[in-house]
Amino acid sequence: MRQILRNVFSVIYAISEKANVATSPKTAKNNSLIYSIAFSLLLFFLMSTVAVAGHHFKGGYFTYTDLGGGKYDFFVNGYWDKDAVSSLYPRFGIGASYGFSKTVSKTLLSDGETVEHIQKFTVTWSTPGLKQINYDVCCMGDGSNFDHNTISIFVKINVDPTTPNSSPQFYDFPIFNFSEGQPLNYKMDYKDPEGHEQEFSLQLPSGKTDDVYNEMIESGFQLQKDGRILWENPIAGQWEVIMRLSEKINGVFTGVYIDRIIIITVTPPIDNLASVFTPVQSKLIRAGQPLSFEVEATDTEDQSVTLTAYGAPFEAGASFSQHTQGSIAKGTFTWTPPVGTLGTYRVQFVAADNYSPVLYSRYSVDITVADCMGFAANYSAIKPCAGSNNGKITLNSEGGYGPYKYSIDNGVTFQSLATFENLAPGNYLSVIEDVIGCRIEQNVALEENPLPVITLNLPSVLCDFNALALSGSPEGGSFYGTGVENGFFYPETTGAGTYTINYSYTNTEGCSNTASHKITVNQPLLADAGEDVEVFTESNSDKKRCAVLTGTVTGGRFPYMYEWSNGETTQSIDVCPTESTTYLLTVTDALGCSITSDVEVAAINAKNGNGKGKDKDSKPGKGGSNARIGSDSADAGIETMDAEVVIFPNPVNDQSQVKVISKKADKITIDIIDLSGRTVKQIYSGNIEANQEITSKINHEFKDNLYILRVKMSDKVSFQKLMIR
């Protein structure tokens, strides 16, 4: 009986298609008569066979492949009860030419109850434009939101010989059985050959009102735009869902779509749980490279599990085989993506137990097939300093697929970090390799940076214990060493001796250099030309006409050189002045440190007892001390003077004072030091203007002793004896 029914359907289908291309009123009239006879026969057979054929269609969809020139291969995927497998016959409309359908395959699915029947039609349109195809579905029986009445499913295609456009292809397992009370979260698996955007929407069955999905929606059902089906509280029953997959190009709907009908079966709670898959990470593989991974599903109810797999990779050479049976089922997926099969593919694995009714669990693994196009690299480098291994290379990648690994020895060794440190100058062959084996090689020449050149502007000898401001070039470095603090060297801390001053400087490239300089700190040099003396200018046998002047020296470093103001260069000299004269003694030690002292020889006229033309008590310097600091000499009496220093009276009493008058603007320091060179008091330190006078009182604040007044300007130092009694 079923075969007779199928034959009737075939006859009616052929008649209707011929009627669509009728060209004359007479032919149309004849066709109308044939229609009436055919449909009467159909009604008779339907009434006769409804008990047998009812409730055997379980869903289906229609896809197509553009062959070019307005020609297409159409595939009808229908899902039928195994005891009532039938066919679907689409109506392609006016202007379409095609032949009879061909059965591509009939496959019994893993539930043992459902057969997938795939039919193929080759259709050609003579004119371009949007074409609508539809087919009618009957014999579904009664479900939770559908009955046995016929419904129509639609497809719309844009025939354009100049622009190929094939429909999306579905790759999911077509049996949708779930358990009541367990939230449903399932995503339809499809792929568009041209990569066009697709958007899902829920469609009303033809002839039905908009409340057909109300009960589902009220219990949390929704179909999202990306094809994900969510149902928070699935209700037991069989539920018809018609979904439309609409094409969008550049975000705009093109009017092209395909419809798909599925039956979601929700079983009442039973004493059985679906199998559980062990999670598998998404895969990334380069075209042409083999990929293999294992899939495992475990049934906690100790049911035997059957594994199957679906997806687009199986059309490109992929395979899946179950190698372990039982409640812990295992299978291996293997695929070597052909060159040119770039993109992301989803493989859906299905685990079916052997309970009745069968419970299914699904698990999808995304596989991205990529190539090395767009993978590029560059690097940045910090040059090592001369003589050092402090260079650095950082490799940078663009494109490719991480995580990356990096090498600078031509791929002999790799590391996960992009930066290589502690490198010596040289040539390095770098390699960046991404996770799919794409490699980028670069030659990196690491030249050395020269070290900074350092110059120290420091004296070799310090003749006193004054703090020394340290100076080095380039500026910005740091000084260190014995007696060095905050950029100054303090001889008073170190005492006499030879010390090393170090200066370290680091430039903007991170290169450092150090220079050293030795400074010898001298013991303060003290000189005394002797006590003032008198000579007599007239020849009296009991009076002296000449005097012996002898200089004494302490401190400094032996040997000493002596130079008197009369040109003599010995320690002791004989003088026979005819008038009162002040003699200056300059002593220079082995380190070049100098000091000046003076002595007055008063010439007395033996006849009247007075110095020639002067009273003895009015001789210059009597009871005081006077010296001048000049540009080239510390000798008193020089005409080009920079400063005049006066201590009066000296030896010091309560009225004594120091007076310094500068002839030029300069820096000046005025100190009182003891015979060991230790500063006991600083009178002044700072700037002085030309012709400025600095005056300071001196009293008995120190122990009675001999002290030195030291006056230091930028290029000269003066020492004056200071007697406190």
Side-chain angles (χ1 to χ4, degrees):
M1 186 68 70
R2 291 193 187 99
Q3 187 60 46
I4 296 173
L5 183 61
R6 293 190 191 102
N7 292 339
V8 172
F9 268 115
S10 299
V11 170
I12 295 173
Y13 175 77
I15 292 173
S16 65
E17 290 301 321
K18 292 182 181 297
N20 286 335
V21 296
T23 57
S24 68
K26 182 178 180 181
T27 301
K29 184 176 180 180
N30 292 336
N31 286 340
S32 177
L33 179 61
I34 294 172
Y35 270 129
S36 298
I37 297 171
F39 278 109
S40 296
L41 290 172
L42 175 61
L43 181 61
F44 170 78
F45 279 104
L46 284 174
M47 294 176 64
S48 302
T49 61
V50 66
V52 177
H55 202 189
H56 60 266
F57 180 71
K58 299 182 177 182
Y61 58 90
F62 196 2
T63 60
Y64 55 87
T65 300
D66 194 332
L67 303 177
K71 187 176 181 179
Y72 297 83
D73 274 345
F74 281 84
F75 297 89
V76 180
N77 287 52
Y79 299 95
W80 308 87
D81 185 278
K82 68 177 181 178
D83 296 324
V85 179
S86 186
S87 301
L88 296 173
Y89 296 96
R91 291 186 290 274
F92 295 101
I94 298 175
S97 61
Y98 52 92
F100 288 103
S101 71
K102 297 178 181 179
T103 293
V104 176
S105 64
K106 290 183 179 180
T107 305
L108 180 65
L109 300 183
S110 59
D111 66 345
E113 300 292 335
T114 304
V115 170
E116 179 186 60
H117 183 197
I118 301 179
Q119 303 165 246
K120 175 183 175 183
F121 297 84
T122 300
V123 185
T124 302
W125 276 276
S126 58
T127 58
L130 286 174
K131 310 295 181 180
Q132 180 171 287
I133 303 99
N134 70 290
Y135 57 93
D136 293 332
V137 176
C138 73
C139 311
M140 294 182 64
D142 293 324
S144 300
N145 67 337
F146 63 92
D147 53 31
H148 60 274
N149 291 330
T150 300
I151 60 173
S152 295
I153 303 299
F154 297 91
V155 175
K156 186 165 285 189
I157 178 174
N158 182 26
V159 176
D160 184 355
T162 64
T163 306
N165 189 2
S166 299
S167 72
Q169 305 295 314
F170 289 101
Y171 298 104
D172 44 38
F173 182 59
I175 299 176
F176 302 91
N177 290 358
F178 302 94
S179 180
E180 184 180 20
Q182 296 183 5
L184 192 159
N185 185 337
Y186 177 77
K187 190 175 188 298
M188 304 298 294
D189 186 15
Y190 71 95
K191 189 174 183 65
D192 186 86
E194 286 82 32
H196 295 157
E197 181 184 358
Q198 304 289 332
E199 185 174 302
F200 283 82
S201 60
L202 198 60
Q203 298 297 306
L204 290 174
S206 56
K208 297 291 183 179
T209 60
D210 57 4
D211 62 354
V212 66
Y213 299 116
N214 280 0
E215 189 174 0
M216 299 174 68
I217 293 173
E218 289 173 357
S219 60
F221 176 86
Q222 56 177 302
L223 173 64
Q224 297 184 330
K225 292 181 179 180
D226 63 353
R228 185 173 297 278
I229 298 173
L230 300 176
W231 199 350
E232 186 176 354
N233 296 299
I235 302 172
Q238 288 188 312
W239 303 89
E240 176 187 80
V241 175
I242 301 177
M243 57 185 69
R244 175 165 293 176
L245 194 56
S246 301
E247 180 185 70
K248 296 173 78 174
I249 297 179
N250 297 324
V252 178
F253 288 107
T254 62
V256 174
Y257 59 80
I258 59 174
D259 286 350
R260 178 174 181 177
I261 182 171
I262 66 173
I263 303 297
I264 298 178
T265 300
V266 181
T267 60
I270 56 177
D271 188 18
N272 187 29
L273 296 174
S275 303
V276 177
F277 279 94
T278 300
V280 178
Q281 295 290 330
S282 298
K283 305 298 179 181
L284 179 64
I285 187 70
R286 191 169 70 185
Q289 289 187 333
L291 171 67
S292 179
F293 61 89
E294 189 173 79
V295 176
E296 178 180 313
T298 302
D299 191 272
T300 59
E301 304 294 328
D302 206 29
Q303 300 286 334
S304 181
V305 178
T306 300
L307 297 176
T308 53
Y310 303 85
F314 294 99
E315 297 177 352
S319 64
F320 177 77
S321 61
Q322 182 174 345
H323 55 74
T324 302
Q325 313 299 323
S327 60
I328 302 178
K330 298 179 182 180
T332 300
F333 174 86
T334 303
W335 186 32
T336 300
V339 175
T341 55
L342 304 181
T344 299
Y345 299 82
R346 174 166 291 174
V347 178
Q348 184 182 88
F349 298 93
V350 179
D353 63 15
N354 62 347
Y355 196 81
S356 181
V358 177
L359 280 184
Y360 295 93
S361 58
R362 295 168 169 83
Y363 190 85
S364 295
V365 177
D366 287 338
I367 301 173
T368 299
V369 182
D371 60 15
C372 298
M373 296 296 293
F375 188 29
N378 54 59
Y379 68 90
S380 60
I382 297 177
K383 297 178 181 179
C385 302
S388 300
N389 295 343
N390 62 345
K392 181 187 293 186
I393 296 174
T394 299
L395 304 178
N396 306 303
S397 59
E398 297 176 1
Y401 298 87
Y404 306 93
K405 56 182 181 179
Y406 306 89
S407 170
I408 56 171
D409 58 5
N410 196 23
V412 176
T413 58
F414 284 92
Q415 66 180 42
S416 60
L417 299 178
T419 298
F420 297 81
E421 298 181 312
N422 303 319
L423 301 179
N427 293 317
Y428 297 86
L429 182 57
S430 70
V431 177
I432 304 178
E433 185 173 309
D434 71 0
V435 74
I436 63 172
C438 297
R439 291 165 64 106
I440 297 291
E441 297 180 356
Q442 302 175 93
N443 284 311
V444 181
L446 206 57
E447 300 175 350
E448 70 176 19
N449 261 329
L451 298 181
V453 178
I454 295 178
T455 302
L456 296 181
N457 304 312
L458 300 175
S460 297
V461 177
L462 292 181
C463 296
D464 55 40
F465 282 4
N466 286 336
L468 174 67
L470 303 176
S471 175
S473 177
E475 296 180 350
S478 59
F479 285 94
Y480 60 94
T482 303
V484 176
E485 184 178 349
N486 298 325
F488 283 84
F489 174 62
Y490 293 96
E492 188 174 352
T493 301
T494 63
T498 300
Y499 303 93
T500 299
I501 308 297
N502 302 292
Y503 180 68
S504 179
Y505 173 78
T506 302
N507 61 18
T508 55
E509 287 77 28
C511 294
S512 300
N513 202 2
T514 299
S516 299
H517 183 81
K518 291 186 180 298
I519 292 181
T520 297
V521 179
N522 204 5
Q523 283 286 359
L525 186 62
L526 299 176
D528 188 356
E531 294 291 332
D532 295 346
V533 298
E534 296 176 342
V535 297
F536 295 88
T537 58
E538 296 297 331
S539 177
N540 296 323
S541 59
D542 56 345
K543 303 293 185 181
K544 297 179 180 179
R545 286 181 51 84
C546 298
V548 177
L549 304 181
T550 300
T552 58
V553 183
T554 59
R557 181 173 297 186
F558 185 81
Y560 306 108
M561 292 187 299
Y562 301 88
E563 183 177 359
W564 295 87
S565 56
N566 63 356
E568 297 288 339
T569 58
T570 58
Q571 185 175 3
S572 297
I573 61 172
D574 293 328
V575 295
C576 303
T578 58
E579 60 182 23
S580 296
T581 303
T582 299
Y583 294 88
L584 296 179
L585 171 63
T586 300
V587 179
T588 303
D589 71 357
L591 296 178
C593 296
S594 297
I595 192 168
T596 300
S597 180
D598 64 82
V599 61
E600 182 180 0
V601 179
I604 307 299
N605 189 314
K607 291 182 178 180
N608 56 27
N610 294 326
K612 192 174 183 179
K614 295 182 180 180
D615 184 81
K616 179 178 179 180
D617 293 331
S618 64
K619 293 176 184 176
K622 184 66 175 178
S625 179
N626 179 283
R628 297 180 183 273
I629 303 174
S631 300
D632 301 308
S633 172
D635 292 343
I638 193 165
E639 293 184 1
T640 306
M641 298 297 177
D642 290 338
E644 182 177 1
V645 181
V646 177
I647 305 172
F648 186 85
N650 189 11
V652 172
N653 60 32
D654 291 339
Q655 302 300 319
S656 294
Q657 62 179 9
V658 174
K659 180 169 66 175
V660 178
I661 302 174
S662 176
K663 299 301 183 183
K664 66 174 185 179
D666 202 348
K667 284 188 175 181
I668 190 169
T669 302
I670 306 171
D671 296 316
I672 296 175
I673 62 177
D674 60 19
L675 294 182
S676 68
R678 183 176 63 88
T679 300
V680 296
K681 179 179 180 179
Q682 185 171 87
I683 295 175
Y684 180 80
S685 180
N687 295 323
I688 190 170
E689 301 296 330
N691 299 317
Q692 181 181 346
E693 178 181 306
I694 296 175
T695 302
S696 176
K697 286 186 176 182
I698 302 175
N699 51 35
H700 290 282
E701 57 185 294
F702 313 120
K703 294 181 180 180
D704 292 354
N705 208 337
L706 179 63
Y707 295 89
I708 303 297
L709 178 71
R710 179 177 61 195
V711 180
K712 183 177 180 180
M713 298 184 74
S714 60
D715 55 352
K716 290 296 179 181
V717 180
S718 169
F719 297 94
Q720 303 287 324
K721 289 185 294 184
L722 181 64
M723 180 61 69
I724 298 180
R725 293 177 180 174

